Amino acid sequence: GVDSQVFMKELPRHLQQELAVFLNKKLLETLTAFGECSLPFITALMMRLKAEICLQGDVLCCEGDHGEEMYFIVHGQLVIFKSGVGKVGVLNDGDFFGEGVLVEKNARRNATVKAANVCTLYTLNKV
């Protein structure tokens, strides 16, 4: 198979940007949080996303751990757990979580998030 990351790096920057926006069109349509943002901002965001696949039962983050990335759910379902409470919620296609770790210094995860099934995600790391 072809590694899309290697392929993308071989293209001129403007084509990398256009391709990133095109390939992530479905994700963009589901993310209402960015609906009012400019195309240059959306393009810059798309260039920084990293695709990930997780399997049923995978733990994406644990309550209390130091966080470095935000997650966007393209497809799948994640379950949120809090210590002393148990299951507190479910995240589905188009949802996102972990935005607090991008803006807070030394932020800690406030819940544990586990995959309920096979999930396709994008992560956005701190700069």
Side-chain angles (χ1 to χ4, degrees):
V2 176
D3 183 347
S4 62
Q5 297 293 336
V6 172
F7 174 75
M8 288 279 283
K9 288 181 182 180
E10 298 297 320
L11 296 173
R13 182 81 174 156
H14 73 281
L15 287 178
Q16 289 179 28
Q17 293 172 337
E18 287 182 36
L19 190 56
V21 171
F22 176 78
L23 291 174
N24 295 301
K25 185 174 175 69
K26 180 181 176 193
L27 175 64
L28 286 171
E29 290 169 352
T30 63
L31 295 176
T32 57
F34 299 109
E36 299 297 318
C37 296
S38 68
L39 184 57
F41 175 83
I42 295 295
T43 301
L45 176 68
M46 292 296 110
M47 293 297 295
R48 294 197 49 229
L49 294 178
K50 179 182 173 193
E52 291 190 18
I53 302 288
C54 60
L55 303 177
Q56 181 179 2
D58 284 355
V59 176
L60 280 75
C61 61
C62 293
E63 185 174 358
D65 284 356
H66 178 72
E68 289 290 328
E69 65 276 326
M70 175 180 182
Y71 294 86
F72 298 92
I73 305 167
V74 177
H75 181 72
Q77 186 175 72
L78 304 174
V79 182
I80 307 166
F81 298 92
K82 291 200 58 96
S83 59
V85 179
K87 180 180 172 180
V88 296
V90 174
L91 298 167
N92 294 293
D93 299 7
D95 290 337
F96 59 90
F97 69 97
E99 63 276 13
V101 302
L102 296 182
V103 295
E104 296 177 29
K105 187 175 182 178
N106 298 318
R108 302 276 177 189
R109 299 289 184 185
N110 61 14
T112 297
V113 179
K114 188 175 182 179
N117 53 25
V118 175
C119 298
T120 304
L121 311 165
Y122 282 106
T123 59
L124 178 64
N125 287 4
K126 282 185 179 183
V127 177

mmCIF file of all heavy atoms in Angstrom, residues 2 8 14-15 20 29 32 36-37 41-42 52 56 63 81 95 103 111 120 123-124 126:
data_model
loop_
_atom_site.group_PDB
_atom_site.id
_atom_site.type_symbol
_atom_site.label_atom_id
_atom_site.label_comp_id
_atom_site.label_asym_id
_atom_site.label_seq_id
_atom_site.Cartn_x
_atom_site.Cartn_y
_atom_site.Cartn_z
ATOM 1 N N VAL A 2 0.228 2.360 -0.231
ATOM 2 C CA VAL A 2 0.902 3.649 -0.271
ATOM 3 C C VAL A 2 0.690 4.357 1.062
ATOM 4 O O VAL A 2 -0.437 4.466 1.538
ATOM 5 C CB VAL A 2 0.352 4.522 -1.428
ATOM 6 C CG1 VAL A 2 0.979 5.898 -1.410
ATOM 7 C CG2 VAL A 2 0.591 3.839 -2.758
ATOM 8 N N MET A 8 2.053 12.687 0.701
ATOM 9 C CA MET A 8 1.719 14.102 0.907
ATOM 10 C C MET A 8 2.980 14.965 0.987
ATOM 11 O O MET A 8 3.013 16.063 0.442
ATOM 12 C CB MET A 8 0.897 14.285 2.186
ATOM 13 C CG MET A 8 -0.519 13.771 2.098
ATOM 14 S SD MET A 8 -1.641 14.896 1.300
ATOM 15 C CE MET A 8 -1.920 16.078 2.604
ATOM 16 N N HIS A 14 1.053 23.925 -1.391
ATOM 17 C CA HIS A 14 -0.326 24.316 -1.700
ATOM 18 C C HIS A 14 -1.191 23.102 -2.064
ATOM 19 O O HIS A 14 -2.367 23.052 -1.737
ATOM 20 C CB HIS A 14 -0.366 25.388 -2.796
ATOM 21 C CG HIS A 14 -0.044 24.897 -4.174
ATOM 22 N ND1 HIS A 14 1.252 24.681 -4.591
ATOM 23 C CD2 HIS A 14 -0.844 24.560 -5.202
ATOM 24 C CE1 HIS A 14 1.243 24.237 -5.825
ATOM 25 N NE2 HIS A 14 -0.021 24.147 -6.233
ATOM 26 N N LEU A 15 -0.594 22.100 -2.736
ATOM 27 C CA LEU A 15 -1.353 20.886 -3.054
ATOM 28 C C LEU A 15 -1.582 20.033 -1.799
ATOM 29 O O LEU A 15 -2.633 19.418 -1.658
ATOM 30 C CB LEU A 15 -0.638 20.066 -4.125
ATOM 31 C CG LEU A 15 -0.678 20.643 -5.536
ATOM 32 C CD1 LEU A 15 0.097 19.760 -6.502
ATOM 33 C CD2 LEU A 15 -2.105 20.819 -6.015
ATOM 34 N N ALA A 20 -5.463 17.940 1.865
ATOM 35 C CA ALA A 20 -5.851 17.729 3.270
ATOM 36 C C ALA A 20 -7.294 18.168 3.509
ATOM 37 O O ALA A 20 -8.063 17.467 4.165
ATOM 38 C CB ALA A 20 -4.905 18.480 4.194
ATOM 39 N N GLU A 29 -17.526 18.693 7.768
ATOM 40 C CA GLU A 29 -18.977 18.864 7.746
ATOM 41 C C GLU A 29 -19.620 18.519 9.088
ATOM 42 O O GLU A 29 -20.675 19.028 9.412
ATOM 43 C CB GLU A 29 -19.590 17.999 6.638
ATOM 44 C CG GLU A 29 -19.256 18.507 5.253
ATOM 45 C CD GLU A 29 -19.629 17.529 4.143
ATOM 46 O OE1 GLU A 29 -20.022 16.372 4.453
ATOM 47 O OE2 GLU A 29 -19.515 17.917 2.967
ATOM 48 N N THR A 32 -19.230 21.256 13.898
ATOM 49 C CA THR A 32 -19.919 22.545 13.958
ATOM 50 C C THR A 32 -19.099 23.584 14.715
ATOM 51 O O THR A 32 -19.280 24.780 14.507
ATOM 52 C CB THR A 32 -21.293 22.393 14.618
ATOM 53 O OG1 THR A 32 -21.123 21.823 15.921
ATOM 54 C CG2 THR A 32 -22.205 21.509 13.778
ATOM 55 N N GLU A 36 -17.729 28.664 11.692
ATOM 56 C CA GLU A 36 -17.544 30.090 11.412
ATOM 57 C C GLU A 36 -16.089 30.456 11.120
ATOM 58 O O GLU A 36 -15.775 31.624 10.927
ATOM 59 C CB GLU A 36 -18.046 30.915 12.598
ATOM 60 C CG GLU A 36 -19.521 30.720 12.905
ATOM 61 C CD GLU A 36 -20.419 31.173 11.765
ATOM 62 O OE1 GLU A 36 -20.150 32.236 11.175
ATOM 63 O OE2 GLU A 36 -21.388 30.457 11.452
ATOM 64 N N CYS A 37 -15.208 29.472 11.101
ATOM 65 C CA CYS A 37 -13.784 29.743 10.908
ATOM 66 C C CYS A 37 -13.452 29.950 9.430
ATOM 67 O O CYS A 37 -14.109 29.419 8.547
ATOM 68 C CB CYS A 37 -12.947 28.597 11.468
ATOM 69 S SG CYS A 37 -13.119 28.409 13.242
ATOM 70 N N PHE A 41 -7.724 29.126 8.250
ATOM 71 C CA PHE A 41 -7.644 28.485 9.565
ATOM 72 C C PHE A 41 -7.954 27.001 9.446
ATOM 73 O O PHE A 41 -7.231 26.158 9.994
ATOM 74 C CB PHE A 41 -8.617 29.145 10.549
ATOM 75 C CG PHE A 41 -8.653 28.442 11.879
ATOM 76 C CD1 PHE A 41 -7.710 28.716 12.849
ATOM 77 C CD2 PHE A 41 -9.629 27.478 12.142
ATOM 78 C CE1 PHE A 41 -7.731 28.049 14.071
ATOM 79 C CE2 PHE A 41 -9.661 26.808 13.356
ATOM 80 C CZ PHE A 41 -8.706 27.097 14.319
ATOM 81 N N ILE A 42 -9.032 26.664 8.731
ATOM 82 C CA ILE A 42 -9.420 25.264 8.553
ATOM 83 C C ILE A 42 -8.314 24.492 7.849
ATOM 84 O O ILE A 42 -7.991 23.362 8.224
ATOM 85 C CB ILE A 42 -10.745 25.165 7.755
ATOM 86 C CG1 ILE A 42 -11.901 25.780 8.549
ATOM 87 C CG2 ILE A 42 -11.048 23.733 7.352
ATOM 88 C CD1 ILE A 42 -12.257 25.056 9.825
ATOM 89 N N GLU A 52 -5.758 8.204 13.253
ATOM 90 C CA GLU A 52 -5.515 7.064 14.134
ATOM 91 C C GLU A 52 -6.695 6.105 14.053
ATOM 92 O O GLU A 52 -7.830 6.526 13.842
ATOM 93 C CB GLU A 52 -5.351 7.510 15.588
ATOM 94 C CG GLU A 52 -4.082 8.276 15.851
ATOM 95 C CD GLU A 52 -3.820 8.491 17.329
ATOM 96 O OE1 GLU A 52 -4.408 7.776 18.165
ATOM 97 O OE2 GLU A 52 -3.032 9.383 17.645
ATOM 98 N N GLN A 56 -11.802 -1.904 19.581
ATOM 99 C CA GLN A 56 -12.720 -2.025 20.704
ATOM 100 C C GLN A 56 -11.944 -2.353 21.972
ATOM 101 O O GLN A 56 -11.083 -3.224 21.974
ATOM 102 C CB GLN A 56 -13.739 -3.133 20.435
ATOM 103 C CG GLN A 56 -14.744 -3.309 21.540
ATOM 104 C CD GLN A 56 -15.764 -4.391 21.229
ATOM 105 O OE1 GLN A 56 -15.705 -5.048 20.196
ATOM 106 N NE2 GLN A 56 -16.700 -4.570 22.115
ATOM 107 N N GLU A 63 -8.243 9.207 33.203
ATOM 108 C CA GLU A 63 -8.511 10.308 34.119
ATOM 109 C C GLU A 63 -7.266 10.590 34.961
ATOM 110 O O GLU A 63 -6.648 9.678 35.496
ATOM 111 C CB GLU A 63 -9.692 9.944 35.024
ATOM 112 C CG GLU A 63 -10.146 11.044 35.936
ATOM 113 C CD GLU A 63 -11.398 10.679 36.715
ATOM 114 O OE1 GLU A 63 -11.954 9.575 36.514
ATOM 115 O OE2 GLU A 63 -11.815 11.513 37.521
ATOM 116 N N PHE A 81 -15.777 7.511 31.154
ATOM 117 C CA PHE A 81 -15.905 7.029 32.532
ATOM 118 C C PHE A 81 -15.247 8.021 33.485
ATOM 119 O O PHE A 81 -14.212 8.613 33.158
ATOM 120 C CB PHE A 81 -15.195 5.681 32.701
ATOM 121 C CG PHE A 81 -15.749 4.575 31.858
ATOM 122 C CD1 PHE A 81 -15.220 4.312 30.612
ATOM 123 C CD2 PHE A 81 -16.793 3.801 32.322
ATOM 124 C CE1 PHE A 81 -15.722 3.284 29.827
ATOM 125 C CE2 PHE A 81 -17.308 2.766 31.547
ATOM 126 C CZ PHE A 81 -16.765 2.506 30.292
ATOM 127 N N ASP A 95 -18.167 14.017 17.080
ATOM 128 C CA ASP A 95 -17.871 14.575 18.401
ATOM 129 C C ASP A 95 -16.370 14.755 18.558
ATOM 130 O O ASP A 95 -15.568 14.180 17.818
ATOM 131 C CB ASP A 95 -18.391 13.650 19.507
ATOM 132 C CG ASP A 95 -19.900 13.616 19.605
ATOM 133 O OD1 ASP A 95 -20.551 14.586 19.165
ATOM 134 O OD2 ASP A 95 -20.433 12.610 20.119
ATOM 135 N N VAL A 103 -5.304 24.259 25.583
ATOM 136 C CA VAL A 103 -5.266 25.649 26.041
ATOM 137 C C VAL A 103 -4.789 25.812 27.474
ATOM 138 O O VAL A 103 -4.412 26.914 27.875
ATOM 139 C CB VAL A 103 -6.647 26.328 25.876
ATOM 140 C CG1 VAL A 103 -7.014 26.430 24.408
ATOM 141 C CG2 VAL A 103 -7.729 25.594 26.640
ATOM 142 N N ALA A 111 -11.430 12.615 32.630
ATOM 143 C CA ALA A 111 -12.174 11.364 32.508
ATOM 144 C C ALA A 111 -11.332 10.347 31.744
ATOM 145 O O ALA A 111 -10.350 10.700 31.096
ATOM 146 C CB ALA A 111 -13.495 11.599 31.776
ATOM 147 N N THR A 120 -12.276 5.411 13.965
ATOM 148 C CA THR A 120 -11.353 6.218 13.174
ATOM 149 C C THR A 120 -11.351 7.601 13.806
ATOM 150 O O THR A 120 -12.412 8.201 13.978
ATOM 151 C CB THR A 120 -11.823 6.306 11.707
ATOM 152 O OG1 THR A 120 -11.969 4.991 11.190
ATOM 153 C CG2 THR A 120 -10.823 7.086 10.869
ATOM 154 N N THR A 123 -6.181 13.210 15.679
ATOM 155 C CA THR A 123 -5.674 13.899 16.858
ATOM 156 C C THR A 123 -5.024 15.210 16.436
ATOM 157 O O THR A 123 -4.478 15.326 15.340
ATOM 158 C CB THR A 123 -4.656 13.036 17.629
ATOM 159 O OG1 THR A 123 -3.567 12.716 16.765
ATOM 160 C CG2 THR A 123 -5.301 11.783 18.167
ATOM 161 N N LEU A 124 -5.106 16.162 17.331
ATOM 162 C CA LEU A 124 -4.457 17.464 17.158
ATOM 163 C C LEU A 124 -3.594 17.689 18.378
ATOM 164 O O LEU A 124 -4.114 17.796 19.484
ATOM 165 C CB LEU A 124 -5.512 18.564 17.016
ATOM 166 C CG LEU A 124 -4.995 19.994 16.880
ATOM 167 C CD1 LEU A 124 -4.182 20.150 15.590
ATOM 168 C CD2 LEU A 124 -6.150 20.982 16.911
ATOM 169 N N LYS A 126 -0.584 19.555 20.847
ATOM 170 C CA LYS A 126 -0.106 20.881 21.215
ATOM 171 C C LYS A 126 1.090 21.221 20.337
ATOM 172 O O LYS A 126 1.830 20.346 19.897
ATOM 173 C CB LYS A 126 0.363 20.888 22.678
ATOM 174 C CG LYS A 126 -0.735 20.946 23.678
ATOM 175 C CD LYS A 126 -0.135 21.082 25.069
ATOM 176 C CE LYS A 126 -1.231 21.173 26.099
ATOM 177 N NZ LYS A 126 -0.690 21.370 27.447
#
